[in-house]
């Protein structure tokens, strides 16, 4: 096992300084709000499937022999694809915001 305690990290970053930056805290709050919101929507709709599956509203036939449960289940697949697409597009803006925070940190004398 290598002894890494004696080696110095030349590109050390002061994470405490970054954490105290206003722009970093705004970035984290914005990102967490988005992530928790999208997760809450997904889990709520996903957990409702087994609850509603045996309720009369989803047991009704909508198209021939296809009941509401099948339509709701297909909707969950579509929702998953949509939420993943939204996240991928939003992640690009998060990457830009993170880069801006690092640029601000470096402009203030950070390494």
């Amino acid at each position: 096992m290598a002894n890494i305690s004696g080696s110095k990290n030349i590109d050390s970053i002061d994470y405490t300084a970054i954490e105290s930056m206003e722009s970093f805290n705004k970035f984290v709050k914005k990102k967490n709000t988005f992530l928790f919101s999208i997760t809450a929507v997904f889990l709520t709709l996903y957990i409702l499937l087994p609850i509603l599956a045996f309720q009369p509203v989803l047991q009704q036939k909508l198209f021939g022999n296809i009941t509401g449960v099948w339509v709701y289940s297909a909707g969950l697949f579509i929702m998953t694809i949509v939420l993943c697409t939204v996240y991928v597009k939003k992640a690009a803006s998060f990457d830009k915001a993170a880069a801006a925070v690092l640029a601000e940190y470096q402009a203030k004398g950070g390494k």
Side-chain angles (χ1 to χ4, degrees):
M1 183 178 249
N3 183 4
I4 59 171
S5 61
S7 65
K8 284 189 172 183
N9 186 357
I10 297 171
D11 296 326
S12 66
I13 297 175
D14 185 6
Y15 293 104
T16 306
I18 293 174
E19 185 179 14
S20 66
M21 292 171 46
E22 176 94 17
S23 59
F24 174 75
N25 290 319
K26 285 182 181 180
F27 164 68
V28 169
K29 185 176 180 178
K30 184 178 178 182
K31 185 175 179 182
N32 285 343
T33 300
F34 173 75
L35 291 176
F36 286 120
S37 299
I38 204 167
T39 302
V41 168
F42 176 80
L43 287 176
T44 300
L45 293 174
Y46 187 75
I47 291 171
L48 279 177
L49 177 62
I51 294 170
L52 296 175
F54 299 103
Q55 300 301 317
V57 67
L58 288 183
Q59 290 296 323
Q60 297 176 18
K61 292 182 180 182
L62 299 177
F63 309 106
N65 286 331
I66 298 175
T67 62
V69 174
W70 287 101
V71 175
Y72 190 90
S73 298
L76 289 179
F77 281 102
I78 294 168
M79 176 196 64
T80 302
I81 293 167
V82 168
L83 291 181
C84 287
T85 303
V86 167
Y87 175 77
V88 167
K89 292 190 186 282
K90 191 74 172 170
S93 69
F94 290 144
D95 290 344
K96 289 178 185 175
V101 169
L102 284 175
E104 179 184 342
Y105 167 72
Q106 291 170 345
K108 289 183 178 179
K111 293 182 182 180

